[in-house]
Amino acid sequence: PGEEARNILQAVPYLKEYNMKGSAETGRKVVVIGGGNAAVDAARTAVRLGAETVEIIYRRSREAMPAYAEEIEDALEEGVKLHCMSQPLEFLKNREGSVTAVRCLPMVAGEFDRSGRRRSRASEEKEQIIEADQVIIAIGQRMDVNALFPGEKPELTAAGFMKADPVSGMTSMDGVFAGGDAAEGPSTVVRAIAAGERGAAGIDRSLTGEDHAFWRWEKEVDTAFDPDADPLPYAREKMPVLEAERRIHSFDEVEQCWNEHSALRQAKRCLRCDYGKKIRVREESHV
């Protein structure tokens, strides 16, 4: 209830607006609903765009949040407040129709669900009112297959995504290729880009009957390192980051680089990242 109030928006359009324009309308008291990376991204963006307070509401525990742990930790260092085990019930608004607060119900952990996380159920504690003049919703999106295909539809997986060949991206419909979230469900941008590369090669092969993916050739790499040598027992070194006081006023890269000495030491640990038999390289284009 109350979702029609002004100043309630979705996380993806909010993040897109900033990335396209370099700015996005941001309130003084921002509440973000959700526990994934988009929610944390929106919260950290709101901090940098001048919000006085930014609070995240999530219905499960912090440990169950799908956002990366380091992203959550960075957000907390930057002043974002986290309300876990809290379920939004209603958006409150003023006479002008603008959102003023979120009414929430405290939750407790219940039984485990199919995802391996505990279900949340209502507790007997008093409801909470969290003030807000802007609410950003980041609770996930679902593909609308009927909107994409009003008539004939491609074969879907049990989870409701388009069934696509993992190598070419081809679906059961002639001329239709799929990848990324549409075929695999929510994942990372990197996986979506990789699916686009595979789909492009698959489309080209279907149109020409030939393999023109010239960038997939492999090259032997000479190395002076001994692959049979034992890993060195160096401790794992943390990545240096900008201080919170500096990073909340800009969009500069938060994670910094190791110096050469640290990078070499880390490469010789556990998985021996300093050694590789083969790597894939992209051929220089002459176009």
Side-chain angles (χ1 to χ4, degrees), residues 162-240:
M162 284 190 273
K163 194 171 185 179
D165 183 279
V167 176
S168 68
M170 183 180 293
T171 69
S172 61
M173 288 181 65
D174 186 40
V176 176
F177 292 74
D181 290 11
E184 303 177 24
S187 187
T188 64
V189 171
V190 171
R191 287 184 65 89
I193 293 172
E197 185 271 342
R198 292 192 297 271
I203 292 169
D204 180 70
R205 180 186 284 273
S206 73
L207 294 173
T208 66
E210 298 179 15
D211 184 6
H212 295 132
F214 57 85
W215 56 87
R216 290 180 173 175
W217 62 280
E218 292 185 344
K219 178 183 177 182
E220 293 286 342
V221 178
D222 296 329
T223 176
F225 296 105
D226 180 6
D228 298 319
D230 292 331
L232 297 179
Y234 297 134
R236 183 172 183 172
E237 190 165 332
K238 286 188 174 181
M239 189 69 72

Side-chain angles (χ1 to χ4, degrees), residues 34-35 56-61 64-66 83-86 117:
I56 294 177
I57 300 174
Y58 183 58
R59 63 191 178 93
R60 288 178 167 152
S61 66
M65 291 179 69
H83 296 276
C84 289
M85 304 304 293
S86 185
R117 299 178 297 176

Side-chain angles (χ1 to χ4, degrees):
E3 196 170 4
E4 74 286 351
R6 286 201 298 271
N7 299 332
I8 296 178
L9 63 157
Q10 299 290 325
V12 171
Y14 176 74
L15 293 170
K16 180 181 178 180
E17 182 179 355
Y18 166 73
N19 280 277
M20 296 292 286
K21 299 180 179 179
S23 64
E25 185 175 345
T26 302
R28 293 184 303 106
K29 298 180 178 180
V30 177
V31 167
V32 180
I33 298 175
N37 285 318
V40 178
D41 285 348
R44 298 179 70 187
T45 298
V47 168
R48 286 158 173 75
L49 293 180
E52 296 175 5
T53 62
V54 180
E55 305 180 55
I56 294 177
I57 300 174
Y58 183 58
R59 63 191 178 93
R60 288 178 167 152
S61 66
R62 176 177 170 180
E63 292 71 26
M65 291 179 69
Y68 297 143
E70 60 269 24
E71 295 280 340
I72 300 172
E73 191 64 38
D74 286 345
L76 293 174
E77 289 179 2
E78 293 167 7
V80 175
K81 188 174 181 180
L82 195 57
H83 296 276
C84 289
M85 304 304 293
S86 185
Q87 175 70 49
L89 294 179
E90 181 184 8
F91 298 115
L92 306 181
K93 55 187 177 181
N94 57 24
R95 293 181 179 179
E96 288 73 36
S98 297
V99 67
T100 59
V102 184
R103 184 167 66 91
C104 300
L105 178 66
M107 309 292 283
V108 295
E111 299 297 323
F112 288 99
D113 62 14
R114 293 176 61 183
S115 70
R117 299 178 297 176
R118 289 186 180 274
R119 296 182 185 275
S120 299
R121 55 183 178 82
S123 74
E124 297 180 357
E125 296 181 33
K126 282 184 61 177
E127 295 178 357
Q128 299 172 316
I129 303 294
I130 300 175
E131 293 185 3
D133 59 12
Q134 185 180 48
V135 174
I136 301 174
I137 300 175
I139 56 175
Q141 296 175 316
R142 184 178 299 276
M143 180 177 64
D144 189 346
V145 178
N146 293 326
L148 288 171
F149 303 96
E152 181 188 0
K153 298 177 178 57
E155 185 179 353
L156 303 180
T157 65
F161 303 108
M162 284 190 273
K163 194 171 185 179
D165 183 279
V167 176
S168 68
M170 183 180 293
T171 69
S172 61
M173 288 181 65
D174 186 40
V176 176
F177 292 74
D181 290 11
E184 303 177 24
S187 187
T188 64
V189 171
V190 171
R191 287 184 65 89
I193 293 172
E197 185 271 342
R198 292 192 297 271
I203 292 169
D204 180 70
R205 180 186 284 273
S206 73
L207 294 173
T208 66
E210 298 179 15
D211 184 6
H212 295 132
F214 57 85
W215 56 87
R216 290 180 173 175
W217 62 280
E218 292 185 344
K219 178 183 177 182
E220 293 286 342
V221 178
D222 296 329
T223 176
F225 296 105
D226 180 6
D228 298 319
D230 292 331
L232 297 179
Y234 297 134
R236 183 172 183 172
E237 190 165 332
K238 286 188 174 181
M239 189 69 72
V241 297
L242 283 180
E243 300 87 352
E245 293 76 13
R246 288 182 56 192
R247 65 191 193 223
I248 62 175
H249 299 296
S250 74
F251 284 86
D252 292 342
E253 190 74 29
V254 171
E255 292 185 348
Q256 305 299 290
C257 294
W258 284 322
N259 58 35
E260 183 180 4
H261 176 70
S262 296
L264 288 172
R265 284 169 58 94
Q266 292 300 295
K268 295 178 181 179
R269 297 176 59 242
C270 54
L271 297 181
R272 291 301 309 276
C273 297
D274 58 324
Y275 178 82
K277 292 181 180 179
K278 294 180 179 180
I279 62 170
R280 292 184 182 271
V281 296
R282 183 173 181 134
E283 183 176 276
E284 290 294 332
S285 174
H286 300 289
V287 179

